[in-house]
Amino acid sequence: MSEYKWRYGFFLGCVIPNRYPMVERSIREVFEELGAELLDLPGASCCPAPGVFRAFHIPTWLVIAARNIAISEELGVNPLTGCNGCYGTLRDAWYDLEHNPEEKKHVNQLLAKVGRQYKGNLEPKHVVQALYLDMGLDYLKDHIKYKFTDLKVAVHYGCHIVKPSDKRPWNGEYEAPEFLDEIVEITGAKSIDYKDKFMCCGAGGAVRTAVKEVAADFTREKLENMRDAGVDIIIDCCPFCHLQLDLGQVEVNNFYKDIIGEPFKIPVIYITQLLGVAMGIDPNRLGLIKNHDLKGVSPFISIDPFLNIVKEQLT
Amino acid sequence: MSDNVEKYIKRKSYTTANSRIAQKFVDAGLEKIRACINCGTCTGGCPSGRRTAYRTRSAIRKALTGDESVLSDIDIWFCSTCYYCYERCPRDIPVTDMIIKLRNIAVEEGYILDSHFSLANDIFYATGHGVPATGEGNKQWRALRESYGLPALPPTVHSYPEALKECQTLMKEVGFRDLLDNAAKLKAQRKAEAEKKAEEKTKEEKK
């Protein structure tokens, strides 16, 4: 495709490129197919993570975030992230700097020391925001080639895609958003309601690094509620939630084996992987097919049950 | 904000309260903490409070009244920053931001967990990533990237050493390096004091 309808600066963050590269591959493929060009942001760093590094030192968090946004500004494109954590940082920093001219001046004084400048004229966006608000459901529907006939999905939004709601683009909706369910359902899959659907996965806010058992206890509660609702797979839109629901599932099975009964084995799939297969993109190009014999790498919970459903239903 | 809330923010009982922490909130532009009526809505919606000893209301109360144990307790590190307290506070207090600020003050005072210090110092400061793919211990992750048709390292600081230097310059200029060094010093001091105390106690018991 030579003409692109949209252009974004693809802000990778940490967990997507360095732990779940299949998510990176699927975002790149789906956006290309939808006519959106993703430009690399050379030399971008950790966003830095909003619950952990911001909690250590707000000024450090703000200036490094501003540097990351500035790299996208130099290319003249909106920063785009597939991670709720990066979204939280880029979006909050952008909002905070726009509402505090003094702070913006200070940040630019610091950035000048490394030859950069932050303008703030390009709103940071989430992959799901680009899909839902920039492209729109109708546009996405036009690209669906195959539909699932019987796939029950537990949609997990995560926190920072909707909250704090005054700094997000969803018209203040945070208690029961529906945009991600709507994207899931254009693939023919059914989004199943489950108890405390909008609850946090437990990983964020430095909790996972502090005490894994506490983070895993959040995850246990979510997984029990998902299993009670009878879902086939989990769909999310954040790699840190993804890690917590995937690797964390193994940890829950280990830490809480005495109270959960059967071990959990629910496949965790990122939204662009689901959308991609329905758009007819080869699963190989969506990071769904394992072609290595590496040990101790993601995904930690087998996604074969999902691939079998794809094989059975998407023809 | 209603006039009523304005009144609470300005009320004298707290402006004259001898709370160093509360003053730091005011200095940081978070004077809204004074509008807290301790209703407990924050704690009620908190998914962390359901499984840990962390009580948002109690943390805010301690901050307001100058109880500095709130800084050394591990509890404030159990907040997963899900923002329900921020969204639901009937007094419009940005509660989650308060907790983040409390953590900033705690780190300044040297109260930072070993795992968090290592993440900040050995990983974030050293590599520019919070979760890196460089080093011998991460070679399987680079191989995983390649197995999905991506370059072994992403086009981030990992591929641009001068970009990492840029981040480290910024971190030094903004005071992050000094903050970490100071926290390490304070941690070591407290550890030495605790060991000395324990030693004296054993001596005392032997007598």
Side-chain angles (χ1 to χ4, degrees), chain A residues 13-14 17-19 24-25 44 46 51 54-55 58 67 116 160 163 165-166 175 200 205-206 209 217 221 291, chain B residues 50-51 79-83 86-88 103-104 115-116 128-132 138 145 147-148 155-157 166:
Chain A
C14 301
N18 299 337
R19 292 297 179 272
E24 177 182 339
R25 185 75 204 264
C46 174
R54 172 161 49 178
I58 295 166
R67 177 186 173 273
R116 301 226 185 236
H160 301 149
K163 292 175 283 180
S165 62
D166 54 339
E175 289 282 3
C200 172
T209 314
D217 195 57
E221 190 179 333
N291 46 13
Chain B
R50 288 185 221 161
R51 63 201 83 244
C79 163
S80 70
T81 68
C82 79
Y83 279 90
Y86 175 111
E87 295 290 349
R88 292 172 177 170
R103 288 176 172 185
N104 270 222
S115 58
H116 286 155
H129 273 297
V131 184
N138 286 319
R145 283 185 56 81
S147 86
Y148 290 113
T156 59
V157 278
E166 221 180 88

Side-chain angles (χ1 to χ4, degrees), chain A residues 187-201:
Chain A
T187 69
K190 185 155 175 43
S191 169
I192 305 290
D193 261 341
Y194 61 95
K195 191 182 163 199
D196 280 336
K197 175 172 165 181
F198 300 98
M199 194 188 127
C200 172
C201 71

Side-chain angles (χ1 to χ4, degrees), chain A residues 37-307:
Chain A
E37 185 179 24
L38 297 185
L39 304 178
D40 283 341
L41 300 181
S45 66
C46 174
C47 54
V52 59
F53 298 123
R54 172 161 49 178
F56 299 158
H57 196 222
I58 295 166
T60 302
W61 166 81
L62 195 59
V63 73
I64 299 290
R67 177 186 173 273
N68 283 323
I69 298 172
I71 296 174
S72 201
E73 289 177 349
E74 284 161 26
L75 300 173
V77 288
N78 294 75
L80 177 90
T81 169
C83 170
N84 287 5
C86 300
Y87 188 54
T89 280
L90 299 181
R91 187 115 191 149
D92 289 2
W94 172 72
Y95 182 97
D96 292 351
L97 288 171
E98 284 322 284
H99 289 80
N100 191 339
E102 275 299 304
E103 198 65 59
K104 190 169 167 179
K105 210 172 116 191
H106 177 62
V107 158
N108 269 321
Q109 279 165 356
L110 288 166
L111 287 176
K113 293 179 197 280
V114 295
R116 301 226 185 236
Q117 196 198 352
Y118 171 86
K119 295 193 190 77
N121 54 347
L122 291 163
E123 169 196 3
K125 296 184 176 182
H126 192 288
V127 158
V128 171
Q129 181 185 353
L131 293 173
Y132 191 82
L133 294 179
D134 290 0
M135 300 175 189
L137 276 185
D138 288 337
Y139 184 80
L140 299 181
K141 271 183 204 159
D142 287 343
H143 288 78
I144 299 292
K145 291 205 179 92
Y146 306 101
K147 280 197 167 188
F148 290 97
T149 50
D150 181 20
L151 174 64
K152 294 189 272 303
V153 171
V155 174
H156 172 78
Y157 280 78
C159 303
H160 301 149
I161 191 165
V162 286
K163 292 175 283 180
S165 62
D166 54 339
K167 304 178 186 179
R168 297 294 179 271
W170 312 110
N171 296 322
E173 178 58 77
Y174 70 90
E175 289 282 3
E178 290 178 346
F179 54 86
L180 188 54
D181 307 79
E182 288 174 24
I183 298 177
V184 163
E185 296 209 326
I186 64 169
T187 69
K190 185 155 175 43
S191 169
I192 305 290
D193 261 341
Y194 61 95
K195 191 182 163 199
D196 280 336
K197 175 172 165 181
F198 300 98
M199 194 188 127
C200 172
C201 71
V207 173
R208 187 178 162 83
T209 314
V211 186
K212 273 199 183 63
E213 287 80 353
V214 171
D217 195 57
F218 281 69
T219 317
R220 175 194 57 75
E221 190 179 333
K222 286 223 73 148
L223 290 168
E224 283 175 345
N225 292 339
M226 288 169 174
R227 182 158 71 185
D228 288 349
V231 304
D232 300 314
I233 62 165
I234 299 167
I235 290 291
D236 57 27
C237 60
C238 169
F240 203 32
C241 300
H242 198 92
L243 180 148
Q244 186 59 25
L245 293 165
D246 176 43
L247 177 58
Q249 213 170 138
V250 179
E251 292 162 353
V252 167
N253 289 344
N254 177 21
F255 299 150
Y256 301 112
K257 58 174 178 280
D258 295 337
I259 51 173
I260 56 169
E262 277 288 296
F264 291 103
K265 43 176 194 213
I266 313 175
V268 188
I269 307 293
Y270 190 83
I271 181 65
T272 45
Q273 293 183 302
L274 178 83
L275 194 59
V277 286
M279 286 165 61
I281 301 174
D282 180 349
N284 266 304
R285 287 168 51 207
L286 297 166
L288 286 165
I289 309 296
K290 178 183 157 184
N291 46 13
H292 60 75
D293 48 14
L294 300 163
K295 295 270 179 307
V297 294
S298 56
F300 294 92
I301 295 291
S302 170
I303 61 165
D304 287 348
F306 174 65
L307 289 174

Side-chain angles (χ1 to χ4, degrees), chain B residues 18-206:
Chain B
N18 182 24
S19 170
R20 200 165 54 91
I21 318 172
Q23 191 54 49
K24 285 197 175 190
F25 278 120
V26 176
D27 296 344
L30 296 171
E31 65 281 350
K32 266 193 180 177
I33 190 177
R34 292 201 181 117
C36 176
I37 48 166
N38 258 261
C39 68
T41 304
C42 48
T43 301
C46 177
S48 188
R50 288 185 221 161
R51 63 201 83 244
T52 68
Y54 169 58
R55 297 289 178 270
T56 319
R57 168 169 70 170
S58 163
I60 297 291
R61 181 76 184 157
K62 282 179 179 170
L64 263 170
T65 55
D67 179 347
E68 297 195 7
S69 70
V70 69
L71 300 178
S72 52
D73 284 350
I74 192 179
D75 292 0
I76 53 170
W77 296 95
F78 288 148
C79 163
S80 70
T81 68
C82 79
Y83 279 90
Y84 270 127
C85 53
Y86 175 111
E87 295 290 349
R88 292 172 177 170
C89 174
R91 307 289 285 179
D92 276 344
I93 298 170
V95 186
T96 317
D97 292 349
M98 300 287 170
I99 300 301
I100 287 171
K101 182 65 192 171
L102 261 183
R103 288 176 172 185
N104 270 222
I105 301 168
V107 173
E108 220 175 282
E109 307 279 332
Y111 296 112
I112 176 170
L113 298 175
D114 290 343
S115 58
H116 286 155
F117 185 83
S118 163
L119 176 64
N121 191 66
D122 310 336
I123 299 181
F124 178 50
Y125 187 84
T127 71
H129 273 297
V131 184
T134 44
E136 185 56 24
N138 286 319
K139 73 174 183 225
Q140 76 276 25
W141 298 111
R142 297 193 290 280
L144 186 68
R145 283 185 56 81
E146 288 182 313
S147 86
Y148 290 113
L150 298 163
L153 288 173
T156 59
V157 278
H158 274 351
S159 302
Y160 297 86
E162 69 282 7
L164 173 58
K165 289 237 169 64
E166 221 180 88
C167 290
Q168 287 170 338
T169 302
L170 287 173
M171 287 193 247
K172 274 182 211 147
E173 291 286 342
V174 77
F176 194 52
R177 188 62 264 161
D178 288 346
L179 177 85
L180 291 180
D181 292 343
N182 187 51
K185 207 173 82 192
L186 290 170
K187 267 173 84 82
Q189 268 172 18
R190 280 202 193 96
K191 203 178 156 199
E193 273 165 31
E195 276 167 7
K196 203 173 150 199
K197 240 185 206 168
E199 214 171 276
E200 275 165 13
K201 203 180 162 196
T202 350
K203 266 188 204 161
E204 199 72 23
E205 279 167 0
K206 273 184 188 161

